[in-house]
Every structure is written in C-alpha cells, then in structure tokens.
Amino acid sequence: MQERIVQLRQQLQLAGHHYHVLDEPQIPDAEYDRLFRELQALEADHPQWITPDSPTQRVGAQPMMSFSSVAHKVPMLSIHTETDISAEGAIQFDNRVRKVLQLNAQDPPLSYVAELKFDGLAISLMYKDHILVQASTRGDGQSGEDVTHNIRTIGQIPLRLPQAAPANLEVRGEVYMRRDDFESLNERQRQRIAQGAKNEKTFVNPRNAAAGAVRQLDPKIAAQRPLSFFAYALHFHAQANADADADADADADAVLSPVQTTLNGLHTYGTHFQILMALKDWGFPVSEHCQLVTGAQGLIAYHQQIAQTRDQLPFDIDGVVYKVNQIRLQSELGMVSREPRWAVAHKYPAQEELTTVQAIEVQVGRTGKLTPVAKLAPVFVGGVTVTNATLHNEDEARRKDVRVGDTVIVRRAGDVIPEVVSVMLEKRLQDAQIFTMPTHCPVCNSLAVREEGEADYRCTGGLFCSAQRKQAILHFAHRRAVEVDDLGEKLVDQLVDAGLVNTLPDLYKLGFSHLAALDRMAEKSANNLLASLERSKHTTLPRFMFGLGIRHVGEATAKDLARHFGGIEAIMDASVDQLLMVNDVGPVVANSLRTFFDQPHNREVVQQLRACGVHWEESAPGARLDLPLAGHTYVITGTLPTLSREQAQALLEQAGAKVAGSVSKKTTGVIAGEAAGSKLDKAIALGVPVLDEATLWVLTRSV
C-alpha cells in the first residue's frame, strides 16, 4: 500500500506539472480525479504515511486566526524605477552600469536579461530538504507574513523539488491572476451575490484579487481563487551573510547580490539566465518572455516589443525589468540607496482619464505631514475606481493651479497613488475656487509650519494630534526610545481604536481590566504589557527625548542635548540661540525643538508622563570634555565576538566618543567584526584605522 501511495503521488505530481506549468495536459481530468480519489482513500486509511508534499495536502489546513511574521533572511527590497519611459530610459541604465564598471566605448556591450514586471504580489518560498516549508509576503522588505497554507494551494508551485535541485534554497517570484481567471472569478462572485450570498463582492482588478487570496485566512477559500506563479530569483542560504542582521543598512549589497554558487559540487551558475533555466528544470514556471539581450539597443528593442504585445498578454504587467546577466558583475556593481545597481524597472506610459474636482481637502499623515487631496468624481483608471488624487503639497497645487470645479487629467500607474497631472483650462468654470493651505492642522488645530527649504507643511501637535496618535505611541515605545516590550502595531491599533489610549500618558493609566477586555488579549499578555510599561518608567534623558518624536531629533541629537543641558526643563526652556550652542545642532533642528516645546499641549504631555512615574537621572549641564575619547568619532560594522552593536556604542559614548553611521575622512576609527561589509572597505580605502573588539575594550576601560 505504501508503494502504491508513492506511485500515485508521483503520477499526480507529474500530471500536475504538465497541466499547470507546461500547459500540456497528459491525462484527462476524469483520470486525474480518479487517481486523486484513490490517493485520498489510501491516505485516509493510512494517515501515518501522509507527507506534506502529497498532492492531497495542497488544501488541508484549518483556517488561521491571523498571519505570523516571518523575518527574511535576505531582505526583499525593491529595484529602482526608471522615470524616463522612452527609449532613453534603457540607454541611461546601460550608461550607469558601464560607468560603474569603468567600461569605455571600445569595450563590448554587456549581456542583460530582460523580463516582464508582473503586476502581482512578491512571494518568498523556502525549501528545506527539497520540501516547501514556508512561504511569505514581501511585507516591509525586512519581514513579511507567513502565507504558507495559501501558497500551497497554487498548483504551479512545487511542494517537493527534484533531487537535482539543492536541498535547501529560497525561490522568489510573483503570485498573480490571469485576466481570464479574474473574469471567471468575478462572474462566480456576481452569481453568488445574485443568489443572496452575504459578505461577497466582486474584485476591482486581478492584482487586488490575487493579493486578497494570498492573504485569505482560510486556505480552502484561497484554493477557490485561481492563482498563478512565476519564479524569477534564487538564494542559497547555506552561504547566508551574517551581516544581514548586524549591518543590513550599510552592507545590503553583500546580502542582495547573489554570488557564483556551486550546487552539489556539480554545476556552477554564473549568470542570471542560467539560474532561470535551473528554476525551470526544477519544476518552477518561468515566463517565456524572459530574453537574453545585448547592450542598450537590445534593451530598447525588448521594451518596444513588449509594448506592442502588452494588451495581448494573458496577465497584467506594469513595465519590464532589466538585469545584468553576469552574477560576478552584479556583485561588483553592488547597491545604492538600498537598491541594486544591476537592475532597473522600466515602465510604460501611465493610464490617464478625465474627471472633475469636487473638493480639495487636507489630510494629516501619521508623521504630521499635511497633504492636499483632490476629491474627484469617480473615474475608472489604471484598473481601479479613483475618487481621490494627491496634489502632493502647496507648491505643486499652485503650480498646477488646481481649483474646485476644474476638469483635470488623472493618472494612475501600477500601485502609484493617483495624482492630478494637469488642468483642462479651457473647461474651467468662472466660479472655480482657488485652494490655499490652512495655517493650522485640520485635525487638532495645532499650528501648521513649513520649514525653510521644505515643500511640506507639518502639524506641530505630534503628541496631541489624533491623526499622529498611533505613530507617536509606536515611536515612543521603540526599543531605542523608552522601550515598551510587547507593545506592537496591532495592539496599538486596538488600544487607540477602543479609545483606551489617546495620548502617551494614557499608556501608564492602563489597568488589567482595560487590557483583558480587548480581543485576543490573554491574561499572560496583559500582565506582560503592564510589566513592560512599569519597566519603561525608568529610562534615560536621551531615550526620552528621542521617544518624543520631535522632527529632526534623532538618537545622536538627543544624546547631545542631554549632555549639553543635563535636564529636560533646560531643554524645553532653551532659546534658539542656546540650542545652537549644542554640538551638531543647526538652525533647522533648533527651530524644530523650539516650535515643538512652544506648543502648550506638548509640554503638558511631558509633565503628565513624569507625573505617571517616567523618570531618569539628570546631570549637571555641559559636555564631559575630560573623557578620554571626547572629540573622537567611531563607526561600528559587522558582528563583534561578545558585544552587540548597542553595547559597543554605549561603551564608546560613555568614554565621550561619538558613534556615526557612515565612514568619512574625519572618522577616528572603525570597529570591525565578523562579516563586515562596505563600511570596512571604505575605511581601508580612506586609510581610516580599523580596530577590533579587544582594542575597543582597551580604549574604554578607564571609564
């Protein structure tokens, strides 16, 4: 019986691959169903022989209560988008790559892989011992949601890899929905609605339908949504870069650039195209539209070719992607601003439609930014019905001269926020109303200020404004601020939405009965949060200052302010001239501080927090110039043998040194640990001394 089960699985897996991936059905649907039912019956009689890669297990999990978070071993970051949608965009990318590689006109053209930019949802697939063990969304790039149960329902995704593939790897790709599948899904939805089904709806576009299916808590429902998948990237975690956690911000190039990798000692994949072909050999669907092209002219030809056939594709795209083919050159090109230099997205002209402006309102963002938004007569553009379009800021609104009652051109491309492109002046009404930015926040009535050199107005009521409430709480609770463990984004949403926390002091007025009344709040969780809040009351002045979320006041500035003034009252009462005397505090920071503490409600929040028991040790004003490392600047990179990044920074700062995030000629030294990346390279190039942890202890031992 066990041999028959194995045989049936192999037959069904092969048939599924031919049906879903190759689009070449080998057996009739009825025969597939018969084999499937036989396997189901045998597994029901012998549950001890059920394996996670069995075709019967694609849909078998119970509905989930929520999605758990998955930290990406390699960050899932976006690639740069070329804003010039003409052929010049491809030329500019080729020129940038050749310049970094120091190639001249006599050098041969580069080899690229040109691919489609699918309009779907990026997914990471983790395989262990050839079995799919985890699937996660992109999320914020550093971590995403665990959607394994739903991804297993997609027939194109292998649950088991062939022995020719490496045992442990990560495959990345795009989950999408074909246009015909989308129309069929919506037709079924319309029928359900007509039959009186509740909580059913039609979907606006294939991407939203795909994303909704992937994030469906019940995998049985997700299985009813026709999803597809294309693979386009590969990582080998046997060679995981330890610096991904320790120095992700500066050394992302070492993590994101694949290296030439030997698999099972047999094959070497030196190009991106070879990797795509390997993925295809292992059973993953790879788009047939991927092409090897040469030089800028090859990129231009591909962009034009896809533009001509875009409407005939069975799925939506919002552009094409160019990637340097040679993995060695990808590694050499590295990263810039957390984006790979070796890849770019080249989009097509955005879709545009005409509509009218019914009103202009000002929205207040989570960080206090005031954004004018045009309220539009509903218009279908870019695959969705648009009723709002951003005007970005006052200067942009004035430049475009958008008025209430105007007929405007609205643009939406991909996931880009809809925007007003221009006004049809010939259709302007005589009574069209001119827009002016308010002088006070429309939410809390605090003063709205526009700093010199800034394009945006911002609300100054950061600790008071309800629009910024959740962001202010999360920032205050950050581990580098006052640090309230167990207070995450979802819990903050619950506390604010339930009206339990309106300002920061309300956190310290929470009781067990308040927390126990929240959904999914167990007794242990409630007690843990209360204990965390109690611990957070004992903090430091720099942490407290940073936690207030004052614009332009980061951790380093907060420490400088604390060293200079010694106490919170002195900081709150300091004039602009007095603030300018602080190390590294310029006019922008000084005015931001003065504006913040000039708001009575901000000072009131500070006093209430102290009344709730939040306290710290204050010191005499004045920097400790007598400390051994006063006036010195150090940079930390890599993983140190015994110290965390925060511990090493604390030792240096206690000795009077400043810890910077980047290396320059003025850097005193770089403390380097294991897997140090680009900071170490720059230090060596600039001749900056490179030190180890042992030297760090020697430098700071007298403090």
Side-chain angles (χ1 to χ4, degrees), residues 147-342:
V147 291
T148 309
H149 292 316
N150 292 340
I151 293 302
R152 289 170 65 87
T153 69
I154 302 175
Q156 289 180 313
I157 294 178
L159 299 182
R160 172 188 285 273
L161 298 181
Q163 289 301 311
N168 305 309
L169 53 80
E170 177 186 6
V171 174
R172 291 182 177 174
E174 198 92 356
V175 170
Y176 67 98
M177 189 175 290
R178 291 170 55 99
R179 294 191 188 118
D180 54 357
D181 287 334
F182 171 73
E183 293 300 333
S184 298
L185 172 63
N186 263 351
E187 182 57 30
R188 292 196 299 273
Q189 293 297 100
R190 283 189 286 267
Q191 291 176 4
R192 291 191 182 108
I193 295 170
Q195 293 168 1
K198 295 182 179 180
N199 300 322
E200 295 286 358
K201 65 176 183 179
T202 56
F203 298 92
V204 174
N205 58 44
R207 187 192 187 283
N208 286 357
V214 169
R215 301 191 71 256
Q216 170 61 242
L217 292 175
D218 188 346
K220 290 183 174 62
I221 296 177
Q224 299 171 11
R225 308 281 170 82
L227 297 177
S228 299
F229 177 78
F230 277 129
Y232 55 62
L234 180 64
H235 293 283
F236 303 97
H237 292 303
Q239 300 182 4
N241 191 310
D243 208 38
D245 293 327
D247 209 3
D249 286 341
D251 298 323
D253 53 336
V255 177
L256 286 174
S257 299
V259 294
Q260 196 168 20
T261 307
T262 300
L263 304 179
N264 301 330
L266 298 176
H267 305 289
T268 298
Y269 297 90
T271 69
H272 178 63
F273 194 77
Q274 287 177 332
I275 287 175
L276 292 178
M277 295 304 99
L279 287 169
K280 188 174 181 180
D281 290 342
W282 300 335
F284 291 96
V286 174
S287 174
E288 62 182 13
H289 295 280
C290 296
Q291 288 185 17
L292 266 177
V293 301
T294 303
Q297 293 306 312
L299 298 177
I300 293 171
Y302 183 83
H303 189 260
Q304 293 174 344
Q305 171 196 336
I306 299 301
Q308 294 170 359
T309 60
R310 179 185 181 188
D311 292 340
Q312 285 74 53
L313 292 173
F315 44 80
D316 289 342
I317 64 169
D318 55 5
V320 296
V321 176
Y322 310 138
K323 298 176 182 176
V324 172
N325 189 33
Q326 293 288 336
I327 303 301
R328 176 183 58 80
L329 295 183
Q330 289 184 9
S331 182
E332 185 176 342
L333 286 161
M335 307 284 295
V336 59
S337 301
R338 298 181 62 77
E339 294 176 342
R341 287 192 180 94
W342 46 267

Side-chain angles (χ1 to χ4, degrees), residues 129-160:
D129 295 328
H130 294 99
I131 303 296
L132 175 65
V133 295
Q134 188 178 75
S136 57
T137 61
R138 180 195 299 274
D140 62 3
Q142 300 296 328
S143 62
E145 293 177 313
D146 188 335
V147 291
T148 309
H149 292 316
N150 292 340
I151 293 302
R152 289 170 65 87
T153 69
I154 302 175
Q156 289 180 313
I157 294 178
L159 299 182
R160 172 188 285 273

